[in-house]
Amino acid sequence: MKKLIVATMLVVGISTFAQVEKKENDAEELIEKVSPEKKVEMVLKRMTKQLKLNEAQQKEMKVIITEQEAKRAEGNFNPSKEDRMAMNEKITKILNPDQKATWDKIQEERKEKMREKMREKMKEKKKKKENKAEKTED
């Protein structure tokens, strides 16, 4: 009876993990399938909501975001630190002091989120190496 319960728990756990991983992959695919114009609108809408942009700021921001998306659409665009700093500088010129503070906070939160993802990936890699080492020892 215990073996049956353990086996059932194992199957449920594995299927749940597979579904979570599939959902993450689906979200990434969905973002990739969206047209550049739609991406611009989505980003602009999110920024307008987060930063409370006025009409003039929205127009200026749309130009910046459109330029960035055009570069991404050209191919394998991987922005350098200078590219990111230049874009950030363009954006901060448009914003008022309160919006800049909010923007800086959002950017810091994004950086922390990315750091956390990298830590998780490193942990997973380390775990895989350890498991592989254990298997070769057996």
Side-chain angles (χ1 to χ4, degrees):
M1 187 67 171
K2 285 183 183 180
K3 288 181 183 180
L4 180 62
I5 292 172
V6 170
T8 304
M9 297 286 274
L10 183 63
V11 170
V12 169
I14 289 171
S15 64
T16 302
F17 178 73
Q19 289 174 0
V20 169
E21 194 170 305
K22 185 179 184 310
K23 283 182 183 178
E24 289 175 1
N25 291 339
D26 289 347
E28 290 173 7
E29 288 177 18
L30 180 65
I31 290 170
E32 289 174 8
K33 289 181 182 179
V34 173
S35 69
E37 295 82 18
K38 185 70 174 171
K39 285 182 187 177
V40 170
E41 292 303 318
M42 290 168 57
V43 170
L44 184 60
K45 186 176 179 179
R46 185 183 70 234
M47 290 180 81
T48 300
K49 183 178 177 182
Q50 290 174 333
L51 301 171
K52 298 175 180 60
L53 300 175
N54 62 36
E55 289 291 321
Q57 289 173 318
Q58 288 179 32
K59 287 179 183 175
E60 292 179 61
M61 200 66 75
K62 186 172 185 173
V63 171
I64 295 170
I65 298 167
T66 303
E67 288 173 6
Q68 195 72 12
E69 281 304 318
K71 289 178 184 177
R72 283 195 177 106
E74 288 175 3
N76 198 4
F77 177 67
N78 192 8
S80 66
K81 186 175 184 177
E82 291 81 24
D83 291 334
R84 288 189 301 271
M85 288 175 64
M87 184 169 175
N88 193 38
E89 189 175 317
K90 287 179 186 178
I91 290 172
T92 54
K93 285 182 182 178
I94 296 170
L95 304 175
N96 66 38
D98 290 338
Q99 291 169 326
K100 282 181 187 177
T102 305
W103 174 252
D104 291 340
K105 181 183 172 192
I106 291 168
Q107 293 303 306
E108 197 55 43
E109 288 171 357
R110 280 184 82 200
K111 284 180 186 177
E112 187 55 40
K113 199 174 186 182
M114 290 301 291
R115 286 185 195 119
E116 188 59 36
K117 281 185 179 182
M118 289 302 293
R119 285 186 203 115
E120 289 297 319
K121 283 185 179 183
M122 295 302 288
K123 285 179 184 178
E124 287 177 21
K125 282 184 179 181
K126 188 176 179 181
K127 225 178 214 182
K128 284 181 182 179
K129 278 186 178 182
E130 290 172 357
N131 288 341
K132 193 174 186 179
E134 287 176 8
K135 286 181 181 179
T136 57
E137 288 175 3
D138 292 340

